[in-house]
Amino acid sequence: MADDNEFEPRPGRMRARGGKRARAYLQCVVAAANLARGGARSGGSVKRSFSGSRHGRGAGVGRLLARKGGADARFRRRVVIKARIVRLAGKGGARALAHLRYLQRGGTTREGEAGSLYGRKTDVIDGKAFHDRCAGDRHQFRFIVSPEDGTQYDELKPLVRRLMARAEADLGTRLEWAAVDHFDTGHPHAHVIVRGVDGKGKNLVIARDYLTRGLRERAGELVDLDLGPRTDHEMARAMTAQIDQERFTDIDRRLLAAADNERSVSAHGAGVFEQTLRAGRLKALERMGLAEPLGKGRFRLDPDLAATLRQMGERGDIIRTMQRAFSDRLIERGAADLAIYDPAPGAVPLCGRVLERGLADEHRDRHYLIVDAIDGRTHYVALGREMAEGIGEGMIVRIDPVRFEPRAADRTVARIAAANGGRYDVDVHLNFDTSATRAFAEAHVRRLEAIRRRTGGAMREADGSWRIAPDHLERAAAYETELLRERPVVVSLLSVRPLEELARADAATLLDARLSEPQALPLREAGFGAELAAAERQRRQWLLTEQLAEERNGEFRMAPDAIGQLRRRELLKLAQGISEELGLPYGETGAGERIKGIYCRRLDLMSGRFALIERARDFVLVPWRTALEGHAGKHVSGQVRGETISWTIGRGRAGPSIG
């Protein structure tokens, strides 16, 4: 008989009771830990693809908050949170500074004053100083906080401060942020910019589910505390207001969800109020041509219902933006004279005076211009992410659509690579084309680098050479198409001075360019077109008096060198004053001349924009380019090629040249 005290342990897998599949103990621990932090209940045996939604600070908080408030979600105050991560490398820093300036523009407060940045404890933050502190950051976070009932707040500062305090608690780190409230739209909102570093100065990584859900739930909690839950009357009023709106609404989402495979939906819903919403909205969609009645209360929805309504909503926002610009400037325009510029293939370039410049999407830095054009109409021009630096109200510009096709440089690279076994570099280029310069070949390398970074359409080898694919031209076209979304048009400055100053200006003006150009853009004698036509008539008489033009048999002709003479007159007059200021003589430049010196500043003249370059023994005035922006006081070099110059910033290896 065995001793009762004897015991032989037999380690093995722990079994689950109740007939469930046995799980390893480690799997049970992982599942419990996952559930405790707001994750899924399932064990570790199920493989999931990594999405990044729970990577970073605040992971799982969004799901936890959404689950906690799910039961009463219908009565929760809604807050729209738009979140975006902005990289600050390259042009990101300049765009971030421009974004800050725009947020502090005039007319955004309830009193119509300029917006003021505020922070955790102070009501006034220096935007430039905040931007300078962000200079070394890899990225920044931008949020738009827009409570649905924001009109009930006198100011949003207390709400934003409490929200950021909650965010710091959720993320477990101190945040450095700046915010500004805007009340210039129908929905009061706050813009919040958060530095991309945590309290220890390390890169701040926030989980995607917190950006998309957690912050929104926290904001909803705070608004509920301030205003109380939504009542049935408030919800009914908000839904009823959507019936006749020319935009995509919550009612449309319900109709699409209830539609069958034939896009047929009934006006009869679950409940009297739902039926009222459906019937009213379907009748409104029928008037818009987006729903077809089938009889017995059934309708067939348009296959492009959502996209069409979103476009209608965007167009309505654009028209309201234009009308607001007119009313601010006491300008009267009929509805027939309002247009949205479409830069589609075959579009005609646009020329006109800038009435307004702004951000169409403050969250994604989408810019726009309102241009009073020479065709007698006023156009809304979407710029994408093109900031159009240096373009302001009252200036005269030309808008050209961007053509998305491979450039000459792409064809050159493809041709050289095809002759060299698919390989390209600067030396191969120079051997293939003995007339090419090294600077010209290096420009092709920069083009390849840009394509590689954006689309991966070119491969750089370890030795610095490039492996060019046989379909390189197709990849270059795909790169241009991608750029088109961010920059659909090119904005060229024609005049920084108002039109009334150009008719008798002793300088080369856009009027001279139009009078000397056989194929100048046609104008219509209405609006700005009528003003330009009158200015051209005055300019003709002035040019005849100055003997810079002649009129024979009723035909007006400018002298061959008239524009050059006018430009030289203005430069010489300006150079006299600069010479006294710098104590240096003025040196005129010629075609092909190499320019080296220190870039001092930009000069806005009638003849265009010029750069003041100080050399050792003299100074020169040459055409200005955006590449010089922000480089005042630095050494630059460039070569004059007609009306253009390709600039290089900084000292060369051999040091600055003495001009």
Side-chain angles (χ1 to χ4, degrees), residues 160 305 310 372 424 427 524 614 623:
V160 171
L305 175 69
R310 287 191 176 100
D372 202 4
Y424 176 88
D427 293 333
R524 182 166 68 97
E614 182 180 345

Side-chain angles (χ1 to χ4, degrees), residues 292-570:
E292 176 189 358
L294 302 176
K296 297 183 179 180
R298 295 196 68 82
F299 290 78
R300 178 173 289 111
L301 302 177
D302 186 275
D304 298 322
L305 175 69
T308 302
L309 285 172
R310 287 191 176 100
Q311 290 176 0
M312 292 173 67
E314 291 174 3
R315 181 177 179 82
D317 293 339
I318 289 172
I319 296 300
R320 283 188 288 274
T321 298
M322 297 177 74
Q323 290 173 340
R324 186 169 60 248
F326 296 147
S327 62
D328 291 344
R329 294 161 180 80
L330 303 179
I331 298 174
E332 294 186 4
R333 288 288 187 273
D337 291 330
L338 305 183
I340 300 174
Y341 185 68
D342 182 7
V348 177
L350 195 68
C351 175
R353 176 174 55 204
V354 175
L355 287 182
E356 183 176 276
R357 170 185 169 177
L359 278 175
D361 187 338
E362 297 177 341
H363 187 53
R364 298 188 176 275
D365 283 342
R366 303 292 177 180
H367 300 255
Y368 73 86
L369 293 178
I370 297 179
V371 178
D372 202 4
I374 63 175
D375 63 359
R377 308 172 74 193
T378 303
H379 297 255
Y380 177 96
V381 183
L383 303 181
R385 297 189 68 188
E386 174 62 32
M387 293 187 291
E389 284 289 349
I391 303 297
E393 295 182 13
M395 297 182 184
I396 302 174
V397 298
R398 176 185 169 111
I399 308 293
D400 287 278
V402 174
R403 305 301 180 201
F404 55 98
E405 59 184 14
R407 299 181 183 179
D410 303 319
R411 296 187 177 90
T412 300
V413 168
R415 187 169 64 252
I416 294 174
N420 290 273
R423 180 172 167 270
Y424 176 88
D425 63 20
V426 172
D427 293 333
V428 169
H429 189 144
L430 298 179
N431 291 332
F432 183 87
D433 183 3
T434 56
S435 64
T437 64
R438 178 166 290 273
F440 181 70
E442 288 173 349
H444 290 66
V445 173
R446 290 194 294 270
R447 169 74 173 175
L448 287 171
E449 180 64 23
I451 294 175
R452 182 191 69 82
R453 289 183 178 181
R454 173 78 59 160
T455 64
M459 182 178 296
R460 185 173 56 190
E461 302 290 351
D463 61 357
S465 64
W466 293 83
R467 182 63 57 185
I468 307 302
D471 61 344
H472 179 68
L473 292 181
E474 288 78 5
R475 297 187 181 194
Y479 168 73
E480 289 294 324
T481 304
E482 181 72 18
L483 288 183
L484 188 64
R485 298 189 183 96
E486 296 190 358
R487 190 190 182 197
V489 298
V490 176
V491 183
S492 304
L493 179 64
L494 300 182
S495 176
V496 296
R497 302 294 181 87
L499 186 60
E500 53 269 19
E501 295 183 16
L502 305 183
R504 294 184 169 277
D506 194 11
T509 70
L510 74 93
L511 300 176
D512 306 311
R514 283 186 55 83
L515 292 172
S516 62
E517 184 181 351
Q519 302 296 326
L521 292 175
L523 57 81
R524 182 166 68 97
E525 295 225 17
F528 183 69
E531 296 179 35
L532 183 62
E536 286 183 355
R537 289 191 290 268
Q538 295 180 38
R539 189 63 173 176
R540 285 193 189 96
Q541 293 300 319
W542 187 87
L543 291 170
L544 291 171
T545 303
E546 294 289 319
Q547 297 183 353
L548 293 170
E550 61 179 3
E551 197 166 17
R552 291 183 181 179
N553 301 323
E555 184 178 355
F556 177 86
R557 288 187 180 181
M558 291 184 62
D561 61 341
I563 293 179
Q565 288 186 47
L566 288 167
R567 182 182 294 112
R568 187 169 183 272
R569 285 186 191 181
E570 186 181 26

Side-chain angles (χ1 to χ4, degrees), residues 131-337:
H131 175 75
D132 291 342
R133 291 196 296 275
C134 300
D137 298 351
R138 184 185 66 179
H139 62 277
Q140 66 179 206
F141 298 91
R142 293 182 191 169
F143 302 102
I144 296 180
V145 182
S146 180
E148 184 181 37
D149 304 291
T151 54
Q152 299 188 41
Y153 283 92
D154 293 331
E155 59 176 355
L156 297 176
K157 287 189 183 73
L159 173 64
V160 171
R161 284 169 172 158
R162 286 183 292 152
L163 175 62
M164 297 310 298
R166 291 284 183 95
E168 288 180 333
D170 290 335
L171 301 178
T173 184
R174 182 182 175 86
L175 303 175
E176 184 175 353
W177 56 273
V180 60
D181 297 344
H182 282 181
F183 294 90
D184 57 337
T185 67
H187 299 282
H189 56 279
H191 293 265
V192 185
I193 300 175
V194 182
R195 287 189 60 190
V197 293
D198 60 18
K200 297 181 179 179
K202 297 181 179 180
N203 287 331
L204 175 62
V205 180
I206 302 178
R208 187 187 306 165
D209 69 342
Y210 188 79
L211 292 175
T212 57
R213 303 176 66 178
L215 203 60
R216 184 184 64 212
E217 295 295 332
R218 283 300 190 206
E221 288 178 352
L222 295 174
V223 176
D224 276 347
L225 290 174
D226 291 340
L227 306 179
R230 291 197 302 170
T231 65
D232 289 329
H233 177 69
E234 287 177 318
M235 290 186 287
R237 184 175 57 188
M239 292 299 294
T240 304
Q242 298 180 9
I243 290 177
D244 293 314
Q245 291 182 357
E246 294 186 352
R247 62 175 65 247
F248 192 59
T249 68
D250 292 334
I251 307 176
D252 301 315
R253 291 187 179 89
R254 297 185 189 182
L255 290 174
L256 289 172
D260 58 22
N261 294 335
E262 300 296 325
R263 305 186 311 280
S264 173
V265 64
S266 173
H268 304 291
V272 176
F273 181 66
E274 181 68 20
Q275 178 177 339
T276 302
L277 292 177
R278 284 194 182 190
R281 186 58 177 171
L282 286 168
K283 284 294 183 181
L285 294 175
E286 181 185 359
R287 291 193 297 271
M288 301 177 200
L290 297 174
E292 176 189 358
L294 302 176
K296 297 183 179 180
R298 295 196 68 82
F299 290 78
R300 178 173 289 111
L301 302 177
D302 186 275
D304 298 322
L305 175 69
T308 302
L309 285 172
R310 287 191 176 100
Q311 290 176 0
M312 292 173 67
E314 291 174 3
R315 181 177 179 82
D317 293 339
I318 289 172
I319 296 300
R320 283 188 288 274
T321 298
M322 297 177 74
Q323 290 173 340
R324 186 169 60 248
F326 296 147
S327 62
D328 291 344
R329 294 161 180 80
L330 303 179
I331 298 174
E332 294 186 4
R333 288 288 187 273
D337 291 330

Side-chain angles (χ1 to χ4, degrees), residues 561-628:
D561 61 341
I563 293 179
Q565 288 186 47
L566 288 167
R567 182 182 294 112
R568 187 169 183 272
R569 285 186 191 181
E570 186 181 26
L571 291 179
L572 289 175
K573 187 181 300 183
L574 177 68
Q576 184 176 358
I578 297 177
S579 181
E580 295 176 358
E581 173 191 341
L582 300 179
L584 293 172
Y586 170 56
E588 296 190 62
T589 59
E593 182 177 346
R594 188 76 179 175
I595 306 296
K596 291 185 179 181
I598 298 177
Y599 167 56
C600 296
R601 61 180 182 269
R602 185 187 76 193
L603 302 169
D604 292 341
L605 310 182
M606 294 279 191
S607 302
R609 283 179 165 162
F610 287 81
L612 170 58
I613 309 296
E614 182 180 345
R615 302 191 291 193
R617 298 186 179 91
D618 61 5
F619 68 92
V620 294
L621 300 174
V622 293
W624 182 86
R625 293 292 176 267
T626 54
L628 296 174

